[in-house]
């Protein structure tokens, strides 16, 4: 007789008793966290864990594996090198396509998991004919007396956060979205800034001064680290916390570019928890907090794996903050972590490396592609463009470029194959002297990004064994992780609209979704 | 008061009663199916469902979506266009890396989920120092009186099936593996043939005549459709059922190449079920049946999406056969479906198509890359090689090629971009007149495959919006689906070694794994 048989009757009796106890005290979770890694799939997750395992080995003076290109599974299995999200007890998967697109956009996907509605790409909080508006789980939570917080590392009126408070026919109606934001009454907004806060983003948009409207609605806008962090000691409802430095398009900087005067996503989450739960305890009716790691997606669009990994770690640290809160209120807290779609066609393998992985190659990249484009490339281009384009003293320019790439990305020219050197040389020339953007080869190779920079990250990434196939979103199903009250509901393989439906049911805020506004 | 609250007390009471009933009759599942899609991840799954949804639209004279490149989600959500596996109630995810490789091989991954042991790539059923041998769940099931069946669409002594009965330091010791196969006593083997059945595959291998050994051990070898199918009416223990036509390397043909005189994986599975359960009912001690869709992987290596999809459908049809069995014995059956790793770095998005998908482009491909290479390309090459390589009358040769590609793959030359035409032209020239295989660009573009064929499938696939980054396995976590007795155990995110451990526990065949031989 095996242990299983011996234990069966005892276990089953205990389970039955526990179920009775559990059902007796069952009630909806009071504190609900929804973490959304924009562009995050299994690939972004596994690449980050491989990076952490490799960094662990290198930092501790260990070989990454017995042979070159190997990675010891002991480092990968070490919980300290794992993301918190993959260690949560419940996992599920969701299909991400929208009404008509196998590759969803972030507006329609956010509408799906915020309101339970399949819609057309670019539409927020409305059906695919853009005639009916629907309530999000955040709005329903609000109606049930819960406090609400919305955090995003990208602008607060970008598609994902917008789906939690706005209904618009097009995600680019930024002023309209921000106008609806001012009318939410939500207790907390935090992260990036606002797009078009003082006028229409495009034809058909509203023409409001959002800053004035926020003030009129009783909101305080903070944008320095000290004031924002002070909310932990003196929480205050109705605040808009904007990170001091907005790097690109009103977004928080990439985590790997972030100066100490800025806030991490985890710090912003920690502040939000304090605001939503109050200074001395927790809000009586609980809260719903949505946290988006939005720049995972932006880095994936640009095919910059190190920037992706930096923001993945930053995002997971925010999850960690929620898990700390969970420890205090395990019976009343639900944490859900998922992505809205994969971005970039990122993979964990490349034709040039086969079965080998060299994530140590990634450790030399110091900043994101954006940082390089804005802070290092212009000076180089200014200095050498005449020489290169007129074909005079190009050797000096090339050597200077090789040094620059080595310093900024850790990419060693001597280690590159002829094919890689050729691609990099053409990209360098194209970035300096211009190129035909309509040429099909150039469009494929650069995707509209700065040729030299996207070629550097492509080659650096493939050296590590990371491939990319697109500059857009892709259609692969993405994982979901859950922990806490009713988390088991999220096991299985389901559609993204089911996420909103499961949340509404668990939170007891609606009998069924969608609910018309 | 919402419906949830009203329903809560009633539901909970029912659940509690049901749990008591369930625990009273709880016992290990008697009939355990383990389906292994080699090289199958979320991408292969979603690509297949998008193909089925598109084919449904085209077959019914419907537009795939309101605009070109769109795909109506109603077709994707239609259960008839979904794979059976994604409609199973339980989903989980597994990390696939082996002892030292982020990108596992099929030997070490199979050792993980068959025996619960992390090992080095190429090793089967042994630890990573190749000193200790371990038992597989199939061997343990056998020891507990269960019948055992092993099916693979690739050779029966290939890595994945081998891990269920053999222990060898290197997967290429094919004669040694087959020798161990003859000693199993397993009731059923089916699928492909044997590699090196009459002598050593390499130095260090055994030198046995496997056919003789199988006969001596009481096995009947069948290799015609009629005899194999007759087993459904007159089941017989200890049979080796080899598909009549072995296409490439002793494997069953790709599903899209299969003549009617051959067997599908579903038919082979159906025969196995009849053998293992007996003619008139089920075996008293139950059975364990492993079914590998091995050529999903082979098609992924070659970056041929249509061949992948064909074998995915064939594999899922085999799962369907098990689900039919499940309906007869729902309380006694467990079905698990998973992959061992992803292959090819396949993605659902490409730089050239952005947010659009055109899976209808795939509907014109009639056969696999192998079929083209073996049956269509040689004749063309013979006829035109002199003209092309000597640069005489190349226009005629090119036009003939364009027609051939259109007929065999549905690839329309006129629709290609300049960059795609350039790539195809070079590949055509290289395939006809030879090329430098050591050149880094050629290695990247062709991966050692026939240049023209791999370029055709690359371009056809990217037209549909499918990308590839590798010719090898990749390291992304893969999904697992389960249904039946104790299926819930497979929810969550875990390591591939945990699969064997969960199976051993559920089947009550071992207290813990691994178990030394």
């Amino acid at each position: 007789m095996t242990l299983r048989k011996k234990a069966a009757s005892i276990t089953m009796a205990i389970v039955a008793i526990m179920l009775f106890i559990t059902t007796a005290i069952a009630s909806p979770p009071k504190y609900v966290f929804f973490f959304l890694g924009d562009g995050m799939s299994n690939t972004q997750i596994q690449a980050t864990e491989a990076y952490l395992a490799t960094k662990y080995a290198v930092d501790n003076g260990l070989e990454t594996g017995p042979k070159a290109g190997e990675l010891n599974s002991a480092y990968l299995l070490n919980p300290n090198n794992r993301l918190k999200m993959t260690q949560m007890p419940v996992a599920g998967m969701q299909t991400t396509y929208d009404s008509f697109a196998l590759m969803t956009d972030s507006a329609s996907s956010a509408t799906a998991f915020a309101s339970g509605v399949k819609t057309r790409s670019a539409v927020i909080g409305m059906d695919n004919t853009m005639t009916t508006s629907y309530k999000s789980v955040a709005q329903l939570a609000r109606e049930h007396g819960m406090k609400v917080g919305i955090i995003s590392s990208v602008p607060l009126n970008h598609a994902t956060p917008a789906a939690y408070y706005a209904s618009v026919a097009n995600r680019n109606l930024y002023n309209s979205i921000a106008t609806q934001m001012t009318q939410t009454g939500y207790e907390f907004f935090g992260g990036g800034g606002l797009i078009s806060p003082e006028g229409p983003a495009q034809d058909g948009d509203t023409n409001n001064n959002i800053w004035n409207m926020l003030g009129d609605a009783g909101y305080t806008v903070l944008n320095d680290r000290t004031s924002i962090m002070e909310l932990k000691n003196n929480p205050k409802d109705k605040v808009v916390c904007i990170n001091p430095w907005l790097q690109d398009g009103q977004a928080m900087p990439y985590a790997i570019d972030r100066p100490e005067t800025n806030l991490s996503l985890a710090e912003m989450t920690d502040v939000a928890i304090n605001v939503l739960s109050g200074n001395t305890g927790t809000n009586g009716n609980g809260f719903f907090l949505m946290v988006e790691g939005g720049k995972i997606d932006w880095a994936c669009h640009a095919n910059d794996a190190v920037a992706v990994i930096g923001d993945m770690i930053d995002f997971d640290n925010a999850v960690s903050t929620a898990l700390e809160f969970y420890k205090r209120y395990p019976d009343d807290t639900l944490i859900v972590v998922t992505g809205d779609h994969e971005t970039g066609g990122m993979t964990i393998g490349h034709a040039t490396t086969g079965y080998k992985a060299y994530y140590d190659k990634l450790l030399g990249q110091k900043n994101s592609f954006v940082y390089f484009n804005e802070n290092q490339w212009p000076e180089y281009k200014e200095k050498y463009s005449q020489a290169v384009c007129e074909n005079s003293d190009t050797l000096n320019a090339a050597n200077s470029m090789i040094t620059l790439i080595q310093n900024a990305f850790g990419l060693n020219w001597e280690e590159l194959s002829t094919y890689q050197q050729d691609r990099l040389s053409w990209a360098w020339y194209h970035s300096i002297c211009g190129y035909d953007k309509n040429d099909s080869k150039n469009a494929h190779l650069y995707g509209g990004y700065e040729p030299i920079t996207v070629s550097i990250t492509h080659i650096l990434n493939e050296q590590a064994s990371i491939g990319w196939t697109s500059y857009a979103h892709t259609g692969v199903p993405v994982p979901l992780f859950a922990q806490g009250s009713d988390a088991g509901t999220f096991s299985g393989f389901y559609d993204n609209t089911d996420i909103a439906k499961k949340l509404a049911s668990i939170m007891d805020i609606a009998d069924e979704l969608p609910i018309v506004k």
Side-chain angles (χ1 to χ4, degrees), chain A:
Chain A
M1 191 185 202
T2 65
L3 277 180
R4 180 193 158 106
K5 285 176 182 164
K6 283 183 227 170
S9 55
I10 301 169
T11 306
M12 289 306 175
I14 293 170
V15 168
I17 293 163
M18 286 180 68
L19 185 74
F20 270 122
I21 296 168
T22 309
T23 56
I25 60 166
S27 61
K30 284 179 69 176
Y31 316 113
V32 178
F33 294 86
F34 189 78
F35 286 91
L36 195 285
D38 203 309
M40 180 183 83
S41 79
N42 276 334
T43 311
Q44 284 72 16
I45 289 165
Q46 185 63 75
T48 304
E49 293 196 344
Y51 178 94
L52 290 169
T54 303
K55 189 169 187 305
Y56 165 85
V58 171
D59 287 352
N60 287 282
L62 305 166
E63 295 291 339
T64 54
K67 299 178 188 171
E70 292 189 335
L71 182 54
N72 196 316
S73 59
Y75 309 153
L76 285 159
L77 290 165
N78 182 338
N80 296 328
N81 300 330
R82 299 280 304 276
L83 293 170
K84 290 288 188 293
M85 67 180 86
T86 64
Q87 299 181 71
M88 293 167 76
V90 175
M93 270 174 294
Q94 47 148 326
T95 49
T96 66
Y97 40 80
D98 70 23
S99 278
F100 306 120
L102 183 58
M103 294 76 139
T104 188
D105 93 322
S106 292
S108 47
S109 59
T111 301
F113 53 73
S115 297
V117 175
K118 278 269 184 231
T119 193
R120 176 175 271 292
S121 294
V123 178
I124 293 174
M126 302 183 80
D127 71 308
N128 62 30
T129 63
M130 291 90 97
T131 47
T132 309
S133 297
Y134 295 99
K135 294 179 182 176
S136 73
V137 289
Q139 291 167 314
L140 291 165
R142 178 92 197 132
E143 290 176 6
H144 281 72
M146 297 173 83
K147 292 192 176 189
V148 175
I150 303 291
I151 294 175
S152 175
S153 56
V154 298
L156 298 173
N157 54 347
H158 215 259
T160 308
Y164 285 89
Y165 59 78
S167 293
V168 285
N170 191 303
R171 59 184 286 172
N172 294 326
L173 299 168
Y174 286 109
N175 194 270
S176 301
I177 294 169
T179 297
Q180 294 181 52
M181 173 189 161
T182 68
Q183 297 157 349
T184 58
Y186 292 173
E187 282 73 15
F188 188 89
F189 288 94
L194 291 171
I195 300 176
S196 302
E198 296 177 358
Q202 63 177 45
D203 284 350
D205 203 3
T206 53
N207 183 17
N208 296 319
N209 185 311
I210 305 302
W211 305 123
N212 292 345
M213 289 183 76
L214 281 170
D216 293 345
Y219 280 94
T220 304
V221 178
L222 305 173
N223 66 354
D224 67 288
R225 182 181 162 86
T226 306
S227 303
I228 295 171
M229 293 301 279
E230 175 60 18
L231 288 171
K232 286 181 64 176
N233 299 319
N234 295 300
K236 175 180 164 65
D237 277 350
K238 300 188 86 170
V239 285
V240 178
C241 298
I242 298 176
N243 189 62
W245 176 37
L246 300 177
Q247 184 181 36
D248 48 349
Q250 299 294 313
M252 289 172 71
Y254 285 103
I256 58 172
D257 296 334
R258 186 173 58 228
E260 288 184 3
T261 52
N262 280 237
L263 283 94
S264 68
L265 205 61
E267 287 173 326
M268 199 65 89
T269 303
D270 195 27
V271 169
I273 290 171
N274 277 271
V275 167
L276 298 176
S277 62
N279 197 18
T280 54
T282 54
N283 172 43
N285 290 320
F287 61 76
F288 174 81
L289 175 60
M290 193 289 291
V291 181
E292 185 198 20
K295 292 191 79 172
I296 299 165
D297 173 70
W298 294 20
C300 286
H301 275 289
N303 298 174
D304 180 349
V306 175
V308 171
I309 290 165
D311 270 52
M312 279 292 299
I313 295 167
D314 203 46
F315 177 67
D316 197 63
N317 286 341
V319 173
S320 192
T321 305
L323 287 166
E324 287 301 312
F325 180 86
Y326 165 85
K327 286 181 191 165
R328 289 157 56 199
Y329 307 100
D331 297 329
D332 294 322
T333 303
L334 171 65
I335 304 172
V336 177
V337 186
T338 189
D340 51 356
H341 50 73
E342 197 277 343
T343 303
M346 187 186 194
T347 68
I348 312 281
H350 197 266
T352 55
T353 46
Y355 291 89
K356 303 289 186 185
Y358 304 89
Y359 277 59
D360 51 322
K361 300 274 187 193
L362 301 178
L363 302 177
Q365 182 175 335
K366 297 187 178 71
N367 291 101
S368 73
F369 73 101
V370 168
Y371 186 94
F372 181 78
N373 286 342
E374 293 182 351
N375 299 284
Q376 291 167 289
W377 178 247
E379 186 184 346
Y380 174 88
K381 186 176 174 180
E382 167 80 18
K383 188 170 178 184
Y384 292 106
S385 65
Q386 192 174 355
V388 174
C389 305
E390 293 177 0
N391 197 23
S392 61
D393 195 21
T394 51
L395 185 64
N396 193 26
N399 284 334
S400 176
M401 188 68 216
I402 287 168
T403 304
L404 177 59
I405 292 174
Q406 173 83 54
N407 291 340
F409 292 92
L411 189 68
N412 185 335
W413 174 262
E414 301 298 332
E415 291 179 355
L416 304 186
S417 71
T418 308
Y419 185 40
Q420 290 168 329
Q421 288 183 347
D422 283 352
R423 284 154 60 203
L424 211 48
S425 298
W426 272 110
W428 169 72
Y429 183 81
H430 285 152
S431 268
I432 294 173
C433 309
Y435 69 104
D436 179 5
K437 291 186 181 180
N438 294 320
D439 176 79
S440 55
K441 182 174 180 178
N442 292 337
H444 188 152
L445 291 181
Y446 310 140
Y449 286 91
E450 186 67 55
I452 183 65
T453 320
V454 76
S455 299
I456 290 168
T457 59
H458 277 164
I459 291 167
L460 180 70
N461 294 178
E462 72 189 39
Q463 278 198 315
S465 74
I466 292 172
W468 300 92
T469 68
S470 178
Y471 305 96
H473 303 167
T474 75
V476 71
V478 300
L480 181 148
F481 307 99
Q483 178 162 340
S485 183
D486 282 335
T489 308
F490 287 98
S491 179
F493 190 96
Y494 37 80
D495 190 53
N496 56 4
T497 52
D498 292 326
I499 294 171
K501 293 170 185 172
K502 288 173 192 288
L503 273 175
S505 171
I506 292 170
M507 293 168 71
D508 202 14
I509 51 177
D511 285 341
E512 59 180 23
L513 293 187
I515 289 183
V516 175
K517 261 184 191 168

